[in-house]
Amino acid sequence: MTKLRRYHAAVWDEPVVMEMGRRGRRGIMFPAADQAVTAAVGCAETLIPEGMRRTMPPALPEMSEPDVLRHYLHLSQQTLGMMGISLFGTCTMKYNARLNEALAARPELAEIHPLQDEETLQGVLEIIHRFDLALRELSGMDQFVFQPAGGADAAYTHACVTRAWLASRGELGKRDEIITSLQAHPCNPATAATAGFKVITLPLEEDGYPSLDALKAAVSDRTAALMINNPDDMGIYNPHIKEWVRVVHEAGGLCFYDHANFNGVMSRLRARELGFDACMYMLHKTFGAPKGGGGPAVGAYGCSAELAPFLPKPVVTFDGKSYHLDNDRDDSIGKVREFLGNIPVVLKAYAWVRSLGAEGIREAADLSVLANNYMDHELLKLRGVSRSHPQIDAWRMEMTRFSLGKLFEDTGVSAMDVQNRMVDYGIDAFWLSHEPWIVPQPFTPEAGEMWSKEDLDTWIAVLGAVIEEAYADPDKVRSAPHNQAVHQIKGAPLEDPAHWAMTWRAYVRKRAKAQG
């Protein structure tokens, strides 16, 4: 039996940084302007246009460097304590190698400007091009771009590429429907609608995916594209996917593979070989770069040679000697984001791919599937836990959609209550999922390849302990967390724009108004 560790987050009576500091304190003293500069312009201040000069000092706390370091150390102790095990679910949280962070911080990347002449960007462009080639190997596609700022942005890129492709064929006014499924990631129907398409959503059948007959009934001469993820967030892989692609192609539409759940099938399939015209990868998920509060995102979008002319520009090219930024692309949809996208994330993902190699990537996929199915076996032993489509007696991929619906019926303790209580054990709790209409009180742990069996056992044991608490003393779980720096807050004010504030100035203004 796994022994649970005692845990309590550090608690500091720490003010916000804007309330700290004393007049005259400094963390760094900047030198006076060079004499040559002052001699040339009279004084350094005249280098800044008059309309851009401050009329008064900025409202910033004046602090010494030790004061700043101590402040943020205290904040980190209050938050990082619960990040011992983060099976964040539907996010494939991976270890973000410190080496990769150091590489991205090097001046060769951190200090460049995207509008530099391409001759001075050769190293960066080479990394982008090499990573493009790596993703071509994994997908079978002919070209990748890294402008999109995340998975939804990549899906939107495809919707825009589809629109441009249809326009080039004189079919834009006719083909105005995009097909997806109830279990597809919400970004697929959302971005299709944003790009001006009508959305047809296919329901799920008993085997966990829409039937082929339902797809055939949905396609027509108005079909623009199919946008789908496979496997889905329930870990179910549609074995008829090649037939799906054939049906859509015969109807004259394109097929887009949302590869957000690529982790369990890396090196096991290639999107192009399944017939897809385009796909996307989340570099901040599958490829070991930080996600969420840990860093920015990139949705790598790749497509066939037929769609490549419509890609966002510029596209990085290589002529055998030098790397170039190709802006001379008349059919391009333009930009979906400024410049080249989050290139530090591309560097980290490239380093991850190079460090694992083909064999390592294959092993990572195998381990993620193994870990998920081990958790699936163990979690179903817990009271009050069930999973989606229990009638399917087959291995799930790298995640499984579980339900605490029975626990909620028995105790009134919700999945969110359980989540709040798990952090009292030092666990960064599960993702609450985005399809509660399919599975009540859902949660979706996703071990990936990085966690040990001992880590998985600890996570399972914590969930089991919280469930037993819910049956014995539900109020204790509903009022959690108890061992964190911040206890449960009232949610109502967060819905009231008169109370919440995203900036210090807004906080000061609203606090003054509340105090009369």
Side-chain angles (χ1 to χ4, degrees):
M1 181 177 179
T2 302
K3 182 179 178 181
L4 298 180
R5 297 179 179 179
R6 289 190 303 165
Y7 167 78
H8 198 297
V11 179
W12 293 96
D13 185 17
E14 193 73 11
V16 297
V17 72
M18 294 300 294
E19 295 177 314
M20 303 175 69
R22 294 293 184 272
R23 184 176 178 83
R25 290 185 182 173
R26 293 289 183 271
I28 185 172
M29 297 295 291
F30 293 98
D34 188 272
Q35 289 185 355
V37 173
T38 56
V41 299
C43 67
E45 285 76 8
T46 57
L47 292 174
I48 303 173
E50 184 175 358
M52 299 178 65
R53 297 178 206 164
R54 289 185 178 273
T55 58
M56 57 189 305
L60 296 173
E62 299 178 46
M63 302 173 66
S64 68
E65 186 171 312
D67 290 337
V68 175
L69 291 175
R70 184 167 55 247
H71 171 66
Y72 286 102
L73 174 63
H74 288 172
L75 295 183
S76 69
Q77 290 171 339
Q78 293 184 123
T79 58
L80 296 182
M82 72 170 189
M83 296 184 70
I85 303 177
S86 174
L87 303 178
F88 211 116
T90 73
C91 290
T92 322
M93 302 302 286
K94 295 175 182 277
Y95 173 65
N96 307 136
R98 299 303 92 187
L99 174 61
N100 295 353
E101 297 298 318
L103 290 174
R106 288 180 63 89
E108 293 91 341
L109 182 65
E111 297 180 8
I112 64 170
H113 192 285
L115 294 181
Q116 288 178 213
D117 190 284
E118 65 182 29
E119 293 182 2
T120 68
L121 295 172
Q122 288 298 297
V124 173
L125 297 182
E126 181 178 0
I127 289 172
I128 296 172
H129 181 70
R130 285 179 176 270
F131 190 55
D132 171 13
L133 296 180
L135 294 189
R136 294 185 200 184
E137 286 296 318
L138 287 169
S139 66
M141 295 297 166
D142 295 305
Q143 183 98 49
F144 272 85
V145 292
F146 306 107
Q147 268 191 39
D153 224 14
Y156 181 67
T157 298
H158 180 71
C160 293
V161 166
T162 299
R163 197 168 55 193
W165 176 76
L166 291 172
S168 72
R169 297 160 59 92
E171 296 184 295
L172 182 58
K174 175 183 178 181
R175 295 188 178 273
D176 60 353
E177 295 178 349
I178 283 183
I179 301 171
T180 186
S181 81
L182 185 63
Q183 178 59 7
H185 289 135
C187 67
N188 291 298
T191 56
T194 302
F197 292 99
K198 299 175 183 177
V199 178
I200 297 177
T201 303
L202 303 180
L204 304 184
E205 305 291 343
E206 288 297 311
D207 50 14
Y209 42 83
S211 67
L212 188 58
D213 288 339
L215 175 68
K216 290 178 178 179
V219 299
S220 68
D221 58 0
R222 296 179 62 183
T223 299
L226 169 72
M227 297 178 69
I228 197 101
N229 52 289
N230 188 42
D232 59 24
D233 287 355
M234 295 183 293
I236 297 173
Y237 184 86
N238 182 350
H240 310 299
I241 195 65
K242 279 189 175 181
E243 185 67 8
W244 276 49
V245 172
R246 183 191 64 78
V247 168
V248 174
H249 279 166
E250 287 184 355
L254 297 174
C255 293
F256 169 71
Y257 203 151
D258 178 341
H259 256 320
N261 297 340
F262 186 59
N263 207 60
V265 295
M266 296 185 297
S267 80
R268 298 295 183 181
L269 58 80
R270 304 210 308 169
R272 191 68 179 135
E273 290 172 359
L274 293 176
F276 282 90
D277 304 287
C279 71
M280 76 87 176
Y281 298 113
M282 296 168 73
L283 302 190
H284 50 287
K285 176 178 177 181
T286 307
F287 291 86
K291 179 173 182 173
V298 170
Y301 176 79
C303 63
S304 65
E306 181 182 0
L307 298 182
F310 308 106
L311 285 171
K313 60 182 180 181
V315 171
V316 177
T317 61
F318 182 54
D319 62 10
K321 294 182 179 180
S322 303
Y323 298 90
H324 304 282
L325 291 170
D326 182 8
N327 278 291
D328 187 17
R329 304 175 67 86
D330 294 338
D331 295 324
S332 170
I333 62 172
K335 286 182 176 291
V336 294
R337 190 154 190 228
E338 67 277 7
F339 304 119
L340 299 175
N342 284 317
I343 300 308
V345 175
V346 175
L347 171 64
K348 295 171 189 178
Y350 176 64
W352 186 85
V353 167
R354 290 299 302 269
S355 66
L356 266 68
E359 293 181 359
I361 290 174
R362 191 177 186 87
E363 183 178 4
D366 292 347
L367 288 173
S368 68
V369 174
L370 177 63
N372 180 61
N373 282 274
Y374 172 73
M375 291 193 72
D376 181 84
H377 182 269
E378 295 298 312
L379 286 171
L380 291 178
K381 296 178 182 178
L382 302 180
R383 184 161 48 150
V385 175
S386 62
R387 72 172 181 180
S388 67
H389 295 80
Q391 72 277 9
I392 301 176
D393 185 22
W395 279 38
R396 303 295 170 101
M397 302 306 288
E398 86 261 31
M399 66 180 79
T400 302
R401 178 66 44 78
F402 294 96
S403 172
L404 291 173
K406 183 65 167 59
L407 177 72
F408 183 70
E409 291 177 6
D410 293 343
T411 67
V413 172
S414 69
M416 183 172 289
D417 295 330
V418 172
Q419 184 186 53
N420 289 341
R421 180 57 175 156
M422 287 183 76
V423 302
D424 280 337
Y425 291 87
I427 297 293
D428 192 0
F430 46 72
W431 181 272
L432 289 172
S433 309
H434 43 237
E435 288 93 4
W437 52 86
I438 300 176
V439 179
Q441 299 297 322
F443 72 99
T444 313
E446 185 179 0
E449 75 277 3
M450 67 171 284
W451 301 106
S452 68
K453 179 180 179 297
E454 292 77 15
D455 289 331
L456 302 183
D457 288 338
T458 297
W459 199 94
I460 295 165
V462 167
L463 179 59
V466 173
I467 288 174
E468 292 308 311
E469 288 179 340
Y471 279 102
D473 186 1
D475 286 339
K476 183 176 182 178
V477 179
R478 282 196 290 262
S479 59
H482 306 292
N483 299 338
Q484 285 295 323
V486 178
H487 289 200
Q488 193 171 126
I489 63 175
K490 295 180 180 179
L494 299 179
E495 302 295 329
D496 184 357
H499 287 83
W500 56 260
M502 300 299 292
T503 66
W504 173 252
R505 283 188 294 179
Y507 169 72
V508 171
R509 183 178 69 252
K510 292 179 181 182
R511 183 176 61 174
K513 184 177 181 180
Q515 293 175 346

